[in-house]
Amino acid sequence: MIISLTIILFCQLVGEVIARGLGWPVPGPVLGMLALLTILGLRDRLKEKVPGLGRTLDSTGKGLLAHLSLLFIPASVGVVQRLDVLAAHGAGLVAALVVSTFVTLVVTVVTFVAVSRLSGSSMAAADEAGVGEKP
Amino acid sequence: MSDQAFSLWVYLSQTPLLWLVVTLGAYVTADRISQVFGRHPLCNPVLMSVAAVALVLWTTGTSYPVYFEGAKFVHFLLGPATVALAIPLYENRRVVLRALVPMVAALIVGSVTAIVSAVAVAQVFDMPRSILISLAPKSVTAPVGMAITETLGGDPALTAILVMLTGVIGSIMVTPLMNALRMKDWRARGFAVGLASHGIGTARAFQVHSLAGTFAGIAMGLNALVTALLLPLVLAWLIG
């Protein structure tokens, strides 16, 4: 597990160094995600030569993701510092958030499904290929 | 309070330990309540935990910076968790590559919709410019949204709250809305909630279906990227 954590943190470090070093407007952890993807691809290539390489990586990563909600609490509690703004503009902000989230969900899902049908990459095609679907 | 109890409180309230335990305790309790109610969308663990922690801070007269000194250890894990999104992405790589065209289309259309619709409604309510800027990146994951707001001269702390609320609203809305629209494609459902409601939406998607969660995670990552690039342009066009 400690090796897996080291790999994940190393990927984040690489991402931060690239993003900040080159002054890219891309968040470091997003580049770190790309770095980990590369490592996972390499792992499968080398599996026969080095058995057990990065074996616990999947379980460690999924452990982190299983409690993703927890990680948002500290930043969100910051609401206690902005109660005055919320009191003054609360109704408008809530209206903006509710309307915008609703519209964004509908527009995104409809675009996805429509383009997916047009380009022939529907869910049925994915099912036939027998990939995806995890319990 | 006796002197001894008071000095114990002074000690505890200044160490990270107490606020870490409060954060984890609030989450574990909220998650259990959510489980008891069959993961009902209204029983959102983040919303319940934040309310509980805020109540503890208010009753004990603790300031947010003191709380964050402890809670920052949990906050730090947001970065590694973003990196770990690569794992379900890699596992589902074949399904993902097959959906590349609809993903790119939905990403660009959805990203612009999220910014424009939020700012347009807020303009109806005649809000000051700094609030409009802080509101614009509300669909993006908190660390990225806060960074965007800071560069453009908004209020990053306000962005953090609006981002959290957007996450909670989206994760409450998504399941009934998608069922009402008769959307059966888990990829599309997940992608929409990840784009509109970042990590909190992704957490909700993983509770419902692992494929939806995977697409939500991808949408969250890609939308962070696209919004960081597009938002300055869209905002210049919207509010000058």
Side-chain angles (χ1 to χ4, degrees):
Chain A
M1 193 189 103
I2 203 71
I3 296 176
S4 309
L5 269 179
T6 311
I7 293 175
I8 291 173
L9 286 173
F10 174 74
C11 288
Q12 189 185 352
L13 181 67
V14 169
E16 295 286 5
V17 167
I18 294 176
R20 284 168 202 272
L22 300 178
W24 286 3
V26 182
V30 174
L31 293 179
M33 183 168 105
L34 297 178
L36 185 57
L37 267 180
T38 315
I39 287 177
L40 288 168
L42 284 176
R43 180 187 67 174
D44 280 4
R45 295 267 158 78
L46 297 175
K47 210 156 45 185
E48 275 128 50
K49 286 180 201 152
V50 197
L53 181 72
R55 201 162 20 97
T56 57
L57 200 52
D58 301 70
S59 57
T60 307
K62 282 180 183 168
L64 263 175
L65 292 176
H67 293 285
L68 201 54
S69 313
L70 165 69
L71 314 185
F72 292 93
I73 298 170
S76 304
V77 173
V79 70
V80 296
Q81 286 189 310
R82 290 295 183 281
L83 293 175
D84 52 334
V85 180
L86 293 185
H89 299 284
L93 285 173
V94 168
L97 294 182
V98 170
V99 171
S100 172
T101 307
F102 181 88
V103 173
T104 306
L105 280 172
V106 173
V107 167
T108 308
V109 81
V110 168
T111 309
F112 191 109
V113 170
V115 175
S116 158
R117 273 187 201 143
L118 286 175
S119 66
S121 60
S122 67
M123 195 63 216
D127 278 346
E128 275 164 31
V131 283
E133 288 299 313
K134 293 260 160 13
Chain B
M1 227 189 285
S2 73
D3 278 357
Q4 210 173 5
F6 182 71
S7 58
L8 176 65
W9 168 251
V10 168
Y11 167 72
L12 280 181
S13 62
Q14 298 300 326
T15 60
L17 180 64
L18 176 67
W19 302 114
L20 257 180
V21 174
V22 167
T23 306
L24 286 166
Y27 173 73
V28 169
T29 314
D31 193 53
R32 186 51 58 85
I33 294 174
S34 156
Q35 236 171 40
V36 167
F37 285 93
R39 299 275 176 217
H40 190 278
L42 279 178
C43 292
N44 188 282
V46 178
L47 195 61
M48 286 192 286
S49 312
V50 169
V53 173
L55 192 69
V56 172
L57 295 188
W58 181 70
T59 38
T60 57
T62 307
S63 74
Y64 179 68
V66 169
Y67 163 76
F68 196 78
E69 267 307 296
K72 70 181 175 194
F73 298 105
V74 173
H75 181 75
F76 172 76
L77 291 175
L78 271 177
T82 308
V83 174
L85 285 171
I87 292 163
L89 179 57
Y90 185 75
E91 240 172 32
N92 288 291
R93 61 194 177 279
R94 289 193 185 83
V95 193
V96 170
L97 283 177
R98 234 168 242 276
L100 204 58
V101 179
M103 260 171 31
V104 171
L107 172 67
I108 292 167
V109 175
S111 185
V112 174
T113 306
I115 302 167
V116 173
S117 58
V119 174
V121 175
Q123 275 177 322
V124 174
F125 286 86
D126 211 20
M127 281 186 214
R129 194 187 151 81
S130 73
I131 295 188
L132 292 180
I133 294 172
S134 314
L135 173 69
K138 58 106 181 80
S139 282
V140 180
T141 186
V144 180
M146 289 165 79
I148 295 175
T149 301
E150 199 159 22
T151 341
L152 298 177
D155 175 358
L158 183 60
T159 300
I161 297 151
L162 297 173
V163 164
M164 183 266 289
L165 287 174
T166 304
V168 173
I169 292 168
S171 59
I172 288 173
M173 237 181 221
V174 63
T175 305
L177 176 63
M178 294 302 160
N179 288 344
L181 291 171
R182 297 181 194 286
M183 290 293 169
K184 295 202 179 83
D185 189 332
W186 288 113
R187 306 170 308 165
R189 290 174 66 133
F191 197 85
V193 78
L195 186 141
S197 295
H198 53 89
I200 302 179
T202 302
R204 171 69 189 159
F206 269 117
Q207 284 173 359
V208 177
H209 196 283
S210 83
L211 188 61
T214 302
F215 273 82
I218 300 162
M220 170 173 94
L222 292 176
N223 194 31
L225 210 81
V226 167
T227 305
L229 299 173
L230 279 184
L231 196 125
L233 307 172
V234 177
L235 218 52
W237 170 68
L238 275 176
I239 60 176

